[in-house]
Amino acid sequence: IGSVFDVRHIRAVGHRAARIAAADTLMVVGLVAGLCGVVLLGSQDQPAAMDASLAILLGLAALATAPAATLLVLQEYDAKGPVSDTTLTLVGINNTLAILLFYIALLALAGLGVAGQSGSATGQMLLARLIMATAGSVLVGIVLGLVLSILHAKATAGQTFLLFTAMLL
């Protein structure tokens, strides 16, 4: 799925995939968050802000698409062409958006104090922890990506796979 983020591929299907991804994101997140909000507001004794924040996070989690299942179906039917390319691009975009938007929403909810009500941790402490975890993850990803790309140029395919697996572990 990561191959869909190649510059040439994005130029070929990017405009079409961007429109579909935007519509898909708005519809999935809106429908799931809206329906979860209706169910949660009518069934629990929690504050409405907690119900709304949970509904938003569930809506964003619903955006994620199973990349392995999509890839296996396309491979099983030997599907090739613009629809297959757009589908793979959408899976990559949806999963990237799901992760990014979930973290942004969680950071926003923690900053508002909604997500930090449980236990002794305050919303500001949770926000600081989330920001540090996100910044640390980005830094580790950049460093490991650079190291892997440098070593990939000098290693065979088997050695690159072994390096990737070691970094993953």
Side-chain angles (χ1 to χ4, degrees):
I1 300 291
S3 65
V4 301
F5 293 113
D6 183 55
V7 175
R8 288 172 290 189
H9 182 79
I10 293 294
R11 285 185 186 149
V13 296
H15 61 283
R16 177 177 52 232
R19 286 192 310 244
I20 296 170
D24 180 37
T25 300
L26 291 173
M27 288 180 61
V28 167
V29 173
L31 286 173
V32 172
L35 291 173
C36 287
V38 168
V39 169
L40 288 171
L41 284 174
S43 67
Q44 295 182 354
D45 297 331
Q46 301 184 107
M50 292 292 278
D51 290 338
S53 64
L54 182 58
I56 291 168
L57 293 176
L58 287 172
L60 291 169
L63 184 60
T65 308
T70 305
L71 191 58
L72 287 174
V73 168
L74 290 175
Q75 286 177 349
E76 182 178 334
Y77 288 104
D78 198 27
K80 291 182 176 72
V83 173
S84 300
D85 290 343
T86 304
T87 302
L88 288 175
T89 304
L90 287 174
V91 169
I93 290 171
N94 281 352
N95 288 330
T96 303
L97 281 176
I99 293 168
L100 291 174
L101 292 176
F102 189 87
Y103 273 121
I104 290 169
L106 196 57
L107 287 171
L109 292 171
L112 293 172
V114 177
Q117 298 295 323
S118 62
S120 63
T122 64
Q124 296 301 323
M125 287 174 50
L126 180 61
L127 178 63
R129 287 183 193 156
L130 285 172
I131 290 173
M132 287 181 1
T134 303
S137 297
V138 168
L139 182 64
V140 168
I142 290 171
V143 169
L144 290 179
L146 288 173
V147 168
L148 188 61
S149 66
I150 291 169
L151 293 176
H152 175 64
K154 299 177 182 179
T156 64
Q159 291 171 333
T160 301
F161 179 72
L162 183 63
L163 289 168
F164 175 76
T165 305
M167 286 183 182
L168 184 65
L169 292 175

